[in-house]
Amino acid sequence: PGEAGTSGGAAVANASAPADANNEAFAVGGAGGNGAVGTTGSGQVAGGKGGNGGDGGNASASATSVQSGGPAVASANATSGRGGDGGAGNGDSHGGNAGTAHATALASASGPFDARAAADAQATGRDGGRSHGDSARGAQGGTGSAHAQSSTRETQAGSLAQASVRGGAGGEGWSGSVGGDGANVSDVKAYAEADSGNTGAIATAIAGRGGAALGNASGGRGGHAALTNAVGGSSAGNLSLTQTAVAGRGGHSQQGIAGAGGTAESKLDSGMHSGTQLFLESASTGGSGGSTDSGIAGRGGNSRSHASATSNGLLSITSQAVAGDGGRVFGSASDVVPGVSGGHAHATAQGAAVGGVSAGITGRGGLGGTALGTGQRGGDGGTVALFASAESDTGNVSLSATAYGGKG
């Protein structure tokens, strides 16, 4: 049999000299080694079991900047190693798991009036390794975490915190192997605070796509993206809180069952804000179903978004949910393939403020998948459900709701 690939090395980077105004940390995990092609017999001719792929290395990056009398910037970027591919041969060989990535950024500034703080944490998981054999499955994509925090004191400049995680794709399935699932993403946090000025926190979760599969094997499922109160902050001035969840699309299958699109959920309950104005935004996008040549396409993923808050000043709320489309079919006119349904979308927004309130919600159902062949039915379009409410003690109230049902 072929030898197994070795694991990739871990990477750790710390930029934590607090006195430095701008600190950056980058870490990249090593890729797992590919498994060797299977051989057998004393002559080591092709035909044995292939070796398993090695696991990718983890990555961790951390940056801290603390400044008195000037701006502070901290940036951390971590990327894990991809999993090694399993070697070809007779029998199963498994792809290596991708590593995980972790990024943390902390920035703090105080005085003078233009001393702004900015923290940015980004984590990227790489793809899982390819597998071979009827009983094997492509490895799941790598995931990670990202946490960012920024703060300012005795300054008018405000602060900004951004955190994002991108999940890796599932490994491909070869020689009868099923495609691996895309990475799920949920551990994203961003928090920003300031005495005054424009202050914002942004969190983004992007799940991995499912791995493709050859022949009659199934494609991998798209990763799920879920954020709950991933952003927060405080400011006597304007505060903007934004979180976005994007699910992964399903993996392609040639003649088998393609992977379903992942589900996306963004839930943001901000609580009371005492500053001038609060801007709140929640958005989610379901993954599209995997495509197929002449098998069964994957169903579109559902999407759900919710945003709510109260404010002593002005309040603006936006909630948007977009469902994934049913998978496409690329076969010829002689193929017989039914269509699959698009995902469903659900969006809500609730707000109350002493000043005026503006609340807008939007939803789009996923498109139904196409069908091939006489008598076959195309997929249903996804449904949309919306709800919005708002109240104000003294100011104006504005509500809007827009729904787009998925086309069948």
Side-chain angles (χ1 to χ4, degrees), residues 342-405:
H344 306 299
H346 185 269
T348 59
Q350 297 173 278
V354 175
V357 180
S358 172
I361 52 176
T362 305
R364 185 184 77 82
L367 304 180
T370 57
L372 293 177
T374 302
Q376 296 301 307
R377 184 176 185 274
D380 295 331
T383 61
V384 178
L386 304 177
F387 173 81
S389 67
E391 58 181 282
S392 175
D393 292 344
T394 60
N396 297 326
V397 173
S398 173
L399 290 174
S400 66
T402 306
Y404 302 93

Side-chain angles (χ1 to χ4, degrees), residues 47 49 55 68 79 83 104 192 198 229 293 370 402 408:
K49 180 179 179 295
D55 293 337
S68 176
T79 301
T104 304
N198 294 326
N229 298 332
D293 295 334
T370 57
T402 306

Side-chain angles (χ1 to χ4, degrees), residues 203-301:
T204 305
I206 303 175
R209 60 177 171 80
L214 302 181
N216 294 323
S218 299
R221 172 189 55 77
H224 303 311
L227 294 178
T228 300
N229 298 332
V231 289
S234 64
S235 174
N238 296 330
L239 177 64
S240 176
L241 303 177
T242 303
Q243 68 178 42
T244 304
V246 180
R249 73 176 185 267
H252 176 84
S253 175
Q254 288 183 315
Q255 290 91 37
I257 300 173
T263 60
E265 181 172 8
S266 174
K267 182 179 181 181
L268 180 54
D269 293 305
S270 178
M272 172 61 74
H273 175 61
S274 58
T276 303
Q277 186 166 6
L278 173 63
F279 299 89
L280 202 68
E281 182 176 354
S282 172
S284 61
T285 302
S288 296
S291 58
T292 185
D293 295 334
S294 57
I296 304 296
R299 185 185 185 281

Side-chain angles (χ1 to χ4, degrees), residues 169-206:
E172 295 179 342
W174 285 37
S175 308
S177 176
V178 175
D181 292 339
N184 302 324
V185 176
S186 61
D187 193 357
V188 188
K189 297 289 183 183
Y191 185 88
E193 59 182 357
D195 288 341
S196 61
N198 294 326
T199 300
I202 303 170
T204 305
I206 303 175

Side-chain angles (χ1 to χ4, degrees), residues 53 82-87 93-96 128-132 137-139 171-174:
R82 76 175 305 277
D85 295 333
S93 65
H94 301 274
R130 177 191 306 158
S131 294
H132 294 264
R137 186 184 190 99
E172 295 179 342
W174 285 37

Side-chain angles (χ1 to χ4, degrees), residues 101-189:
H102 305 283
T104 304
L106 172 64
S108 177
S110 60
F113 72 95
D114 60 349
R116 183 172 175 80
D120 186 6
Q122 299 182 34
T124 301
R126 296 296 301 275
D127 301 346
R130 177 191 306 158
S131 294
H132 294 264
D134 293 341
S135 300
R137 186 184 190 99
Q140 186 170 11
T143 188
S145 66
H147 298 170
Q149 182 173 344
S150 65
S151 64
T152 58
R153 292 288 181 266
E154 302 173 0
T155 174
Q156 304 295 314
S159 70
L160 175 65
Q162 300 180 89
S164 65
V165 175
R166 179 181 291 272
E172 295 179 342
W174 285 37
S175 308
S177 176
V178 175
D181 292 339
N184 302 324
V185 176
S186 61
D187 193 357
V188 188
K189 297 289 183 183

